Amino acid sequence: MIRPTRSLRPLLPLVALALVAGGCGTSGSADQPSTASARLQRQGDAPSGQSRDASPTPQSGVESSPSSAPTRTAPTRTATARPSRSGRQAIAPSGNARPAALEAHLLAAEDMPDMTPGTEGGWTVGDTGPETSGGVGACQKTSLQTIGAVSAVRRTYVDPQDENGRAATQVVARFADAKSAWRAREVLRSWREDCEAEVGPMRDVDVVSGAGEHYRATYGATPRRARTADLGIVAHGAYLCLVEITAPSADYPDHRAPARAAVRRISRTFA
């Protein structure tokens, strides 16, 4: 063992102090990184002003805002026909129904003129119903509904005591408007001019309402089978009425025009 000399003894306290100071500095610098990391981790885990255990409260999934609240939709009412007092649902009339407004202009059997004076009242109503596809008289080619009528009714008259085949027919038709009825009237006139039967002149009839006219036509394959008809037309607004009274030509008086009297009586139904 080497003993320090007297010249080194004064330096020993300084060396010891230097060693102590060096050891303390090394230990402190080694601890600083770990301490700083722990401090940064604590700051990242908990926001400023809150503890480490505090966490944001999650929002409930069932909670809804005012904008997402369900809206109520008013029920839609469907228009349906109201039942009648009897409990049955009312049904709209079909196109084949006979309107009462049309039948009001059909002549009764006792009002239909006869061909022979003094023999009024010999007619009987044969049938009343919708207009058929055939026309009235020898010149009419189609029904009035074919040329624009909205609805039409037809009534036939017969004489049960007559064996020669006297007959009468009346048709009342309603059109969309007066202009349509006027056009149909012009069609009837053109058919008369183009008729294969022997036709007489169209003559005006004085009526109390609307306009009236009539003409006579004779048709048949042979003179023995020839028939004569007096046909009348009544026009009133959107209505058009036809009437025909026919019989064998041999039984038809030349001076008698029963359709003219029928036209006047039909016009009174519109007054």
Side-chain angles (χ1 to χ4, degrees):
M1 180 176 179
I2 301 175
R3 296 181 179 180
T5 59
R6 294 181 178 180
S7 60
L8 295 175
R9 290 180 177 178
L11 300 173
L12 291 177
L14 297 175
V15 173
L17 180 62
L19 292 175
V20 173
C24 293
T26 304
S27 176
S29 61
D31 293 341
Q32 286 179 357
S34 61
T35 305
S37 300
R39 186 178 302 172
L40 292 175
Q41 183 177 3
R42 287 195 302 269
Q43 291 179 356
D45 293 342
S48 177
Q50 296 182 358
S51 64
R52 294 179 59 185
D53 296 337
S55 60
T57 304
Q59 295 182 355
S60 175
V62 298
E63 182 179 359
S64 59
S65 60
S67 60
S68 62
T71 59
R72 295 183 179 179
T73 304
T76 304
R77 296 183 178 180
T78 304
T80 55
R82 295 183 178 179
S84 59
R85 295 183 178 180
S86 60
R88 298 180 180 179
Q89 184 175 353
I91 301 176
S94 61
N96 295 330
R98 303 198 307 268
L102 296 180
E103 292 191 5
H105 305 293
L106 291 173
L107 293 179
E110 58 270 18
D111 295 330
M112 180 61 67
D114 207 333
M115 292 177 296
T116 305
T119 59
E120 302 289 340
W123 296 107
T124 301
V125 173
D127 185 27
T128 302
E131 182 190 24
T132 60
S133 58
V136 178
C139 301
Q140 186 177 344
K141 299 180 180 181
T142 62
S143 64
L144 295 179
Q145 288 182 307
T146 305
I147 57 177
V150 177
S151 57
V153 294
R154 177 188 179 105
R155 174 172 289 178
T156 59
Y157 306 82
V158 297
D159 186 355
Q161 300 179 356
D162 181 48
E163 298 179 356
N164 295 328
R166 286 193 314 150
T169 305
Q170 182 186 353
V171 173
V172 180
R174 181 178 63 84
F175 292 79
D177 47 41
K179 188 174 183 179
S180 300
W182 176 83
R183 290 175 179 174
R185 182 183 176 187
E186 293 299 314
V187 172
L188 294 175
R189 289 180 173 180
S190 66
W191 285 344
R192 170 190 164 274
E193 295 177 357
D194 193 33
C195 188
E196 296 180 357
E198 181 183 350
V199 297
M202 182 78 77
R203 302 184 183 276
D204 294 334
V205 179
D206 294 332
V207 293
V208 297
S209 182
E213 53 194 3
H214 81 103
Y215 67 92
R216 178 175 288 199
T218 301
Y219 55 93
T222 62
R224 293 187 59 182
R225 296 182 180 181
R227 295 183 66 87
T228 298
D230 194 22
L231 191 137
I233 303 174
V234 178
H236 186 279
Y239 288 87
L240 198 62
C241 305
L242 304 179
V243 58
E244 180 197 39
I245 303 173
T246 180
S249 298
D251 300 335
Y252 215 105
D254 294 337
H255 61 279
R256 183 71 171 166
R260 179 175 56 190
V263 166
R264 290 172 177 169
R265 295 177 185 181
I266 293 172
S267 68
R268 296 192 188 105
T269 63
F270 292 97

